[in-house]
Amino acid sequence: IESHRELLEFLEKADLDYRKMKGAEALLYDPYFTQEFSSFFAYSFNQLSNDLLKQQAYWDLDLLLEFQNCILPEYVPEAYRKILAYIEDLLYMLRNLSWEKFSEDESILDFIFESGWIGFMNKLPSGFSSHRDEIVEQLIAVSLRFQFKASWRYLHSIMEALGKLEKNEFNQAEIERIDEVFQKNISVRFGKTTVNTDSGAGRYVGIIIWFIIMAIIRSTSCNSDRSTLADLKPITFISDNEINTTEQQNERKFISFLDSLNTGKQSQAVTREASFTGMQPFRDIGDDPLAARVDSLTVNNQSGYDVVYLYFKDVPGHHLSGIMTKLYSTYIKNGDARKVYIQPDNGRTYFLLGEDWGKLKKPEELSYTNEDGKVTQSFVIDHFFRKQFTLKQPYLSRPIFIDKSTTIRTLSGYQNLNYGNDSNIITILDLVRENNIVKLEARGKLVVKSSVASLSVPDSTNLKHP
């Protein structure tokens, strides 16, 4: 053990370095080691599981389960105690989830769409099969309760995610049957549901009948063999043609709109208001980046300007689904640092720089259009900087990509912003000012790149100025 310090760290402190632990794999599966140290391993496994579940670090849980074969059967209850408690809490939440509660916090179901969570659940040992089946059943029940409230596309996204979970054959058939109904009801009208009232009975999934069937199935097939899925391949990069095209175009319109407020004007007519690090700059559109979860990084603002941080995450189903990509935003004052969360290999990050944030005396309106060029929704931007960044915004016109691996995006077309790689420290993005130029420099475990090309913004930006 002394020759494998990373293993000692895990046994003593429940601290896991996955890559280094792989180097001790031969020892981990040695029968003598397993016999002697399985109890200690189970204890640390349980402690680390608890910490990762609190952080919603599902990718790390997926990696931790790579080493579960080191746990002997007699120590399984201790090793999975916190995971079992998490599943029981999750089931309780799903059973009691109402539309009103979901409307208050839509991120409560975001875990379904994370491939790290899918991988973690699928790697749990066979003793968790019935729990996994019940999670599937409860999520189906949630989808049925949310009919005619949530968008059909969001409900379809839940069914798609459930299709990747291991489950029994009945649940698989139910997912396919219900999703067929959801797909028929999908209307490409950006979150607005079009329902054929004349054929409502045929298009509405019978909730009461479904619950009766499920009660019978649960009583007769709790111990049935589950179907085996092919090895799960996590999605590491969503290319432009794999996400909703209109959402992406409207995201670019929003960025272009902010840039239009910045360029060509010496100052905006603004009533200054108190600003602070961590406040929400766009209350009607943005969410707190702490809710994005998965992986954390720190933005250190030493640019000489205040900064609005913008992170667009590609997630199916949210309150602006079909209109704009999910936006997480926050305000960071000059000289301050702010911890934020992102999902590596997913989405785009931008920075808007300026001074004297306040309320616009003449609010600006941004209208979003659908594929037919019709206005679907408008947003009023009523707060902005009085003094803008005097030059072209360097990290507003070119998106920043944050990946786990250098292989996700080749260097062709991207500029690497990392000046120090250290897999043991949290990633830090430094906005610094050198010779009247603001630069972004990155250090830490994540790979940070900027697009060499500027944003391609559609011609039909459709801006209004009331």
Side-chain angles (χ1 to χ4, degrees), residues 91-358:
L91 287 169
Y92 178 83
M93 182 275 289
L94 293 174
R95 291 188 199 103
N96 295 279
L97 183 61
S98 65
W99 173 252
E100 291 71 26
K101 191 179 296 183
F102 173 76
S103 299
E104 292 173 1
D105 180 14
E106 296 175 3
S107 66
I108 199 169
L109 293 181
D110 280 358
F111 66 90
I112 306 168
F113 308 113
E114 293 189 22
S115 49
W117 183 80
I118 298 288
F120 150 61
M121 292 301 299
N122 282 344
K123 279 185 181 174
L124 291 173
S126 58
F128 283 87
S129 296
S130 60
H131 296 87
R132 196 161 40 229
D133 283 334
E134 190 172 357
I135 289 173
V136 171
E137 291 160 14
Q138 290 301 327
L139 283 166
I140 291 175
V142 167
S143 300
L144 297 179
R145 291 200 297 272
F146 287 3
Q147 286 183 106
F148 300 108
K149 297 173 182 176
S151 69
W152 295 112
R153 198 175 81 177
Y154 180 68
L155 299 176
H156 164 62
S157 298
I158 293 178
M159 294 298 108
E160 273 193 322
L162 293 182
K164 299 173 184 176
L165 273 177
E166 289 196 21
K167 54 203 160 295
N168 60 39
E169 292 181 2
F170 176 80
N171 280 341
Q172 178 63 39
E174 280 300 282
I175 289 169
E176 293 172 0
R177 183 181 69 85
I178 293 170
D179 193 35
E180 184 179 358
V181 177
F182 289 163
Q183 289 190 64
K184 287 180 180 178
N185 286 333
I186 288 176
S187 172
V188 191
R189 293 300 172 195
F190 306 96
K192 296 182 180 179
T193 307
T194 302
V195 182
N196 184 346
T197 54
D198 294 333
S199 59
R203 294 207 168 190
Y204 185 73
V205 181
I207 298 178
I208 298 176
I209 296 175
W210 184 84
F211 276 117
I212 294 173
I213 294 174
M214 285 310 305
I216 298 171
I217 293 294
R218 289 291 296 168
S219 64
T220 59
S221 64
C222 283
N223 298 318
S224 62
D225 293 334
R226 68 182 188 277
S227 58
T228 303
L229 293 178
D231 291 338
L232 185 74
K233 291 183 170 62
I235 299 171
T236 56
F237 174 60
I238 301 177
S239 63
D240 288 351
N241 60 2
E242 290 176 300
I243 67 173
N244 184 285
T245 304
T246 305
E247 286 186 10
Q248 187 188 44
Q249 289 176 346
N250 285 333
E251 172 192 323
R252 293 174 178 175
K253 288 181 183 181
F254 179 70
I255 293 298
S256 177
F257 180 72
L258 296 181
D259 198 31
S260 73
L261 296 180
N262 172 74
T263 56
K265 301 177 182 179
Q266 288 299 103
S267 63
Q268 294 275 6
V270 167
T271 302
R272 291 188 62 181
E273 294 182 354
S275 59
F276 56 91
T277 296
M279 75 176 190
Q280 178 54 251
F282 303 117
R283 286 168 292 183
D284 293 336
I285 308 174
D287 285 339
D288 190 333
L290 294 179
R293 286 301 171 185
V294 183
D295 215 330
S296 63
L297 55 87
T298 298
V299 179
N300 180 26
N301 181 20
Q302 304 297 327
S303 66
Y305 296 86
D306 287 357
V307 165
V308 172
Y309 165 88
L310 305 159
Y311 170 52
F312 292 90
K313 182 179 179 182
D314 298 319
V315 292
H318 52 91
H319 72 292
L320 294 179
S321 180
I323 299 174
M324 191 174 77
T325 326
K326 179 75 172 180
L327 171 62
Y328 298 93
S329 55
T330 192
Y331 194 90
I332 308 173
K333 290 186 70 67
N334 180 45
D336 285 357
R338 168 77 165 157
K339 182 179 180 180
V340 298
Y341 280 85
I342 55 101
Q343 180 174 337
D345 316 323
N346 184 307
R348 294 145 300 282
T349 300
Y350 305 86
F351 295 94
L352 173 67
L353 295 86
E355 295 178 273
D356 298 342
W357 185 264

Side-chain angles (χ1 to χ4, degrees), residues 9 20 23 37 52 58 81 219 232 276 289 376 411 417 434:
E9 288 282 308
K20 292 180 180 179
F37 289 96
L52 295 177
Y58 303 120
R81 189 160 47 87
S219 64
L232 185 74
F276 56 91
T376 57
L411 288 178
L417 302 178
E434 293 182 3

Side-chain angles (χ1 to χ4, degrees), residues 55-74:
Q55 300 167 25
Q56 299 179 25
Y58 303 120
W59 275 111
D60 292 327
L61 275 164
D62 188 14
L63 296 176
L64 176 63
L65 288 169
E66 295 271 339
F67 305 104
Q68 62 184 325
N69 290 336
C70 304
I71 302 167
L72 293 176
E74 55 265 36

Side-chain angles (χ1 to χ4, degrees), residues 11 18-19 23 28 54 80 90 97 100 109 184 190 209 240 243 272 278 347 373 388 394-395 454 462:
L11 294 174
Y18 173 76
R19 290 184 300 173
L28 290 173
K54 287 179 179 178
Y80 292 92
L90 177 62
L97 183 61
E100 291 71 26
L109 293 181
K184 287 180 180 178
F190 306 96
I209 296 175
D240 288 351
I243 67 173
R272 291 188 62 181
Q388 291 81 44
Y395 302 111
S454 296
N462 199 355

